[in-house]
């Protein structure tokens, strides 16, 4: 699997590196890879997809705290999809009737309409429990993974000599 330093990862995600550093420092994006002082963070493909989601939400005017919460919730779910069966993922905002101590669901949809849970477990119709009573955001996980794979492969095949982070 191809991995990338933070600078390139931010470039691929359309995110200013300073925004990443601030979000990490303030714990707004707790799912970023850990690093040591003076060392670059290293992102895998799914980590870059998470940064793309975070960047998109920031560009839509969401606060860093809320964007980080959503990006990390989504990231923790699609990492369960190790066979890459999921087409898109839906993040639900908490409905009014939902208990405060329970996070709203994040559902992963397969091409056949089933909802992927984890470990090859799927269900049908779960989304109807939530979609009528709350708003949600859809994330095209498969498309973002494919796009990121292509971008990483291009950078691997076309290095810029002498460039470093």
């Amino acid at each position: 699997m191809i991995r990338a330093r933070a600078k390139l990862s931010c470039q691929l995600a359309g995110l200013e590196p300073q925004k990443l550093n601030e979000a990490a420092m303030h714990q707004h994006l707790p799912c970023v890879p850990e690093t040591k002082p003076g060392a670059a963070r290293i992102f895998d493909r799914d980590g870059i997809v998470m940064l793309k989601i975070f960047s998109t939400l920031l560009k839509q005017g969401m606060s860093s705290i809320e964007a980080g919460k959503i990006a990390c919730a989504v990231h923790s779910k699609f990492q369960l999809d190790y066979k890459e069966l999921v087409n898109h993922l839906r993040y639900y905002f908490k409905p009014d009737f939902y208990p405060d101590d329970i996070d709203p669901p994040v559902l992963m949809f397969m091409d056949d309409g089933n909802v992927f849970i984890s470990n090859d477990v799927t269900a049908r119709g779960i989304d109807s429990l939530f979609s009528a009573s709350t708003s949600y955001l859809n994330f095209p996980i498969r498309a973002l993974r494919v796009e990121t794979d292509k971008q990483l492969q291009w950078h691997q095949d076309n290095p810029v000599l002498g460039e470093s982070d």
Side-chain angles (χ1 to χ4, degrees), residues 45 48-49 52 144-152:
R45 186 263 323 260
I48 296 169
V49 169
K52 288 180 178 189
L144 288 169
R145 281 175 161 169
V146 168
E147 174 188 62
T148 303
D149 280 339
K150 288 178 184 177
Q151 291 172 316
L152 287 170

Side-chain angles (χ1 to χ4, degrees), residues 17-119:
Q18 184 61 31
K19 293 273 187 194
L20 170 61
N21 292 336
E22 289 171 3
M25 182 179 71
H26 295 296
Q27 304 285 315
H28 295 172
L29 201 57
C31 58
V32 295
E34 291 190 21
T35 189
K36 296 176 183 170
R41 292 181 196 280
I42 305 294
F43 290 86
D44 63 7
R45 186 263 323 260
D46 282 348
I48 296 169
V49 169
M50 179 274 301
L51 287 179
K52 288 180 178 189
I53 291 167
F54 179 68
S55 176
T56 298
L57 295 173
L58 288 177
K59 289 175 183 171
Q60 293 175 352
M62 198 171 279
S63 73
S64 179
I65 295 171
E66 190 68 17
K69 175 183 162 193
I70 293 170
C72 287
V74 167
H75 183 243
S76 70
K77 282 302 248 190
F78 72 78
Q79 283 190 308
L80 301 174
D81 179 30
Y82 65 94
K83 290 185 180 178
E84 301 190 13
L85 302 171
V86 171
N87 181 8
H88 69 279
L89 188 144
R90 187 173 290 167
Y91 175 91
Y92 288 91
F93 291 94
K94 192 175 285 202
D96 293 337
F97 63 85
Y98 225 61
D100 288 337
D101 58 339
I102 299 176
D103 290 328
V106 178
L107 302 180
M108 298 185 290
F109 292 84
M110 300 168 64
D111 291 328
D112 62 5
N114 280 328
V115 175
F116 176 83
I117 309 299
S118 67
N119 299 326

Side-chain angles (χ1 to χ4, degrees), residues 12 17 74 108 129 132 153-155:
L12 298 179
V74 167
M108 298 185 290
L129 296 172
Q153 189 62 54
W154 186 90
H155 280 278

